[in-house]
Amino acid sequence: MEVVLAYLLDLLIGDPEGYPHPVRIIGRVVSHLESILRKYAKSDRDLKIAGFILCGLTVTLAFAATYVLLYIAGLIHPYLKYALDVLIIYTCLATKDLGKAAGRVYEALIKGDIVEARKRLSYIVSRDTDRLDVENISRGAIETVAENISDGIIAPMFYAFIGGAPLAIFYKAASTLDSMVGYRNEKYLDLGFASAKLDDILNFIPARITGFLIVIAAFLLGYDYKNSWRIFLRDRLKHQSPNSAHGEAAVAGALNIQLGGLNYYFGKPEIKPTLGDGKEKITPQHIKDSIKIMYMTSFLGLVVFYIGRRLM
């Protein structure tokens, strides 16, 4: 029941600004540990070892701190522990914020303010946005929604149902590590190796569940669920990451659009695998459609995991 209440809380208020969000705290810990470990890691081998230490310390501290906090709350009063459990799980879910962020891009495009749309998109993607046209701004917003259905909603919900707030925070710590150091570039190839692998492991099941749920959501919402299923099966393993394309492929199929292609990062071009057949040209309306699919998928995830938990 804690996860259900946390989900409803997330839908109602999202993440209040100024709130001491656990992810921000985890991010500061990662930055601090990285700066310390880099002082002692002088070779590629040292960096890889340091990466395992960084990963292990971060997720262990996150899990342990949450567990101890809940234990102390339980000693004070069972209801306090229950409320804290709900509050922590709520901070791990990003349903409303994901929809709100993509919705802001849509609103700017509908108003014809492409400069503002580029600016709002830059808040939620790492690619260069300063020269994007309407179609590519829309694509960027849709890709962000589709990819984060798993990372920001289904995966933390999945682990919260299994192990409550401590395991949900464990997942968020691993996800934060991957977003900060899990890059395959010169700076993080060795230091981020362990974090990237842990994120791949933790997201393996949730990513695949997400793809299935998106197909069902497409059916319930009247989108092309047959094509969603077909593209999901065909394109879900196209990305270098074993998990990141599942949600995008299913959404691309449901909306009959094509995601992926050419992006620029710090002025350098990068071509990502294309997902979907592109029967329709991407428009701002597809952003709204992806948000609807995201909300329905999150609800389906809640129902499926709740029933599964009750049957266990």
Side-chain angles (χ1 to χ4, degrees), residues 117-266:
R118 289 168 178 160
K119 180 181 177 182
R120 292 180 181 182
L121 180 64
S122 71
Y123 297 150
I124 58 175
V125 299
S126 56
R127 72 193 65 174
D128 300 341
T129 63
D130 55 322
R131 296 183 181 180
L132 296 182
D133 59 15
V134 171
E135 182 177 359
N136 282 293
I137 292 171
S138 301
R139 175 170 67 86
I142 295 164
E143 288 172 350
T144 296
V145 171
E147 183 177 356
N148 284 286
I149 293 174
S150 178
D151 297 350
I153 306 169
I154 299 300
M157 188 186 292
F158 174 77
Y159 287 108
F161 268 107
I162 293 173
L167 198 57
I169 286 291
F170 181 95
Y171 169 78
K172 292 302 290 186
S175 180
T176 303
L177 274 164
D178 183 62
S179 67
M180 293 180 69
V181 304
Y183 298 103
R184 293 179 175 90
N185 56 27
E186 185 178 349
K187 183 177 180 181
Y188 288 114
L189 183 62
D190 294 304
L191 185 70
F193 175 82
S195 296
K197 291 302 179 184
L198 178 61
D199 185 75
D200 286 345
I201 293 168
L202 293 176
N203 277 301
F204 188 85
I205 294 175
R208 284 148 183 81
I209 292 174
T210 298
F212 284 113
L213 293 177
I214 288 173
V215 174
I216 298 171
F219 169 74
L220 294 173
L221 293 170
Y223 295 111
D224 195 340
Y225 70 94
K226 292 182 179 179
N227 195 50
S228 179
W229 176 246
R230 183 177 70 85
I231 298 299
F232 168 63
L233 290 180
R234 190 191 75 186
D235 293 348
R236 63 194 178 93
L237 297 177
K238 277 190 173 182
H239 282 188
Q240 191 173 15
S241 165
N243 305 316
S244 62
H246 289 70
E248 288 186 62
V251 168
L255 301 181
N256 285 299
I257 59 176
Q258 187 173 82
L259 300 177
L262 178 63
N263 295 321
Y264 284 85
Y265 298 89
F266 305 103

Side-chain angles (χ1 to χ4, degrees), residues 16-27:
E17 293 184 13
Y19 184 83
H21 202 288
V23 172
R24 298 190 190 102
I25 298 171
I26 292 168

